[in-house]
Amino acid sequence: MKRFVAVLSVMICMAISQGTVCSAQEAVGETVRHEAVDSIASRYVDWQTATISGKLKMEGLPVSPSVKIFMERDSSMIISLRAPFMGEVGRAEIYADTLLVVNKMKKTFVREPLSQALASYPGTLADVQNILLCRPVIAGQGLLTPEIADAVDIYPGADGQFSLIPVEECALDGFNYGYLIDLLYRPAALLVLPMSKESTVVSVSYDYGDKGCDINVAYESPETNKGATLELDSPVWGGSAIQPLKINDKYTQLNFSDFMKSF
């Protein structure tokens, strides 16, 4: 129920930002907005490399594989999935210009330009890293920092939480999106609503614990509901690297659509 309320709050505030609902509620003033963004940014840890360990839970998987993520800031991200008694079963390697995803069980892989993988979103590898690090990203602007505080509007919510919505000049073409920020100035949820797909919502919600954060990703539409949870420990800054995977002639390259059907 708590997560539903968070999601609903963000959706309402997105409608407010479009001028369609609850015109009585106004965004906070410039001083309060800058103070809020300063508080969000004060939580950031400066880093160059990081390792994150955890587990992946998803409906349909016979086991919950362990996850190890190694990131080099703005340069690369390697995600390794390991299953009990089986070793590494899957791998994703994301670089500034390339995406590689490997199914080691079926000896298949897909490799394509990162720009093609992110064709619907003007994002970067750095944006993906920041979302995994529980940091708000503004499309086309990157990590939310005090220098770009004017790129967002902030709407007060219940219990001291607030919604953070990009201003019109920083809107994402074809999508509405926004964040719910909790009492400790951490993202509680990110919602993305495709304008061309009615009643479709992509959500990322963050459940914080003493030792890390669960990141819940869901795709909901009239046709299908899919979801997965990454149960992640807190990042280890300067962690040990994962060596890139060498693809040999035993692997078959597929396009992305066929690769996903192979599971």
Side-chain angles (χ1 to χ4, degrees):
M1 181 66 177
K2 181 179 178 181
R3 187 172 304 156
F4 173 77
V5 172
V7 167
L8 184 62
S9 174
V10 176
M11 292 180 70
I12 290 173
C13 283
M14 282 191 222
I16 292 171
S17 71
Q18 299 300 316
T20 58
V21 176
C22 194
S23 59
Q25 185 172 10
E26 295 182 355
V28 301
E30 180 179 1
T31 299
V32 175
R33 181 177 71 249
H34 279 264
E35 289 175 349
V37 174
D38 286 347
S39 296
I40 292 170
S42 70
R43 302 188 59 88
Y44 302 161
V45 174
D46 191 22
W47 67 285
Q48 292 303 317
T49 60
T51 299
I52 310 175
S53 299
K55 284 188 175 182
L56 170 66
K57 292 188 176 181
M58 185 167 61
E59 185 177 352
L61 290 180
V63 296
S64 296
S66 63
V67 178
K68 187 173 182 179
I69 304 171
F70 175 76
M71 301 190 298
E72 185 174 359
R73 186 171 181 171
D74 302 338
S75 177
S76 65
M77 182 165 70
I78 297 178
I79 304 172
S80 174
L81 301 180
R82 303 182 70 88
F85 310 111
M86 300 173 68
E88 187 175 53
V89 295
R91 172 76 71 93
E93 298 184 5
I94 309 172
Y95 301 96
D97 57 358
T98 306
L99 169 68
L100 170 68
V101 185
V102 181
N103 183 337
K104 296 187 74 173
M105 299 298 296
K106 296 192 175 181
K107 301 294 184 182
T108 58
F109 72 97
V110 58
R111 179 186 281 122
E112 61 183 31
L114 186 60
S115 58
Q116 181 175 329
L118 298 175
S120 298
Y121 171 71
T124 64
L125 168 61
D127 292 347
V128 178
Q129 292 177 334
N130 283 315
I131 288 172
L132 273 177
L133 291 174
C134 309
R135 301 177 178 184
V137 172
I138 306 304
Q141 302 288 321
L143 178 65
L144 178 63
T145 63
E147 289 74 24
I148 61 168
D150 291 338
V152 299
D153 281 326
I154 289 176
Y155 295 87
D159 302 324
Q161 299 185 99
F162 60 87
S163 297
L164 188 152
I165 311 296
V167 299
E168 185 175 353
E169 293 78 8
C170 297
L172 184 56
D173 189 31
F175 298 87
N176 286 328
Y177 75 100
Y179 295 85
L180 184 72
I181 306 297
D182 71 11
L183 286 167
L184 298 179
Y185 296 95
R186 305 171 301 189
L190 162 64
L191 258 73
V192 181
L193 284 73
M195 295 180 184
S196 61
K197 297 180 179 180
E198 187 175 352
S199 301
T200 296
V201 179
V202 180
S203 64
V204 180
S205 61
Y206 299 90
D207 293 332
Y208 298 94
D210 294 336
K211 297 182 179 180
C213 179
D214 293 351
I215 302 178
N216 309 286
V217 182
Y219 177 92
E220 301 178 28
S221 74
E223 294 79 24
T224 184
N225 293 314
K226 297 180 180 180
T229 297
L230 280 170
E231 298 180 347
L232 300 179
D233 297 335
S234 297
V236 176
W237 309 113
S240 301
I242 301 174
Q243 294 302 313
L245 188 65
K246 295 182 179 179
I247 301 294
N248 57 40
D249 56 9
K250 295 181 180 180
Y251 286 80
T252 300
Q253 184 169 4
L254 303 175
N255 61 45
F256 195 81
S257 177
D258 290 339
F259 180 83
M260 295 305 296
K261 292 176 183 178
S262 72
F263 284 93

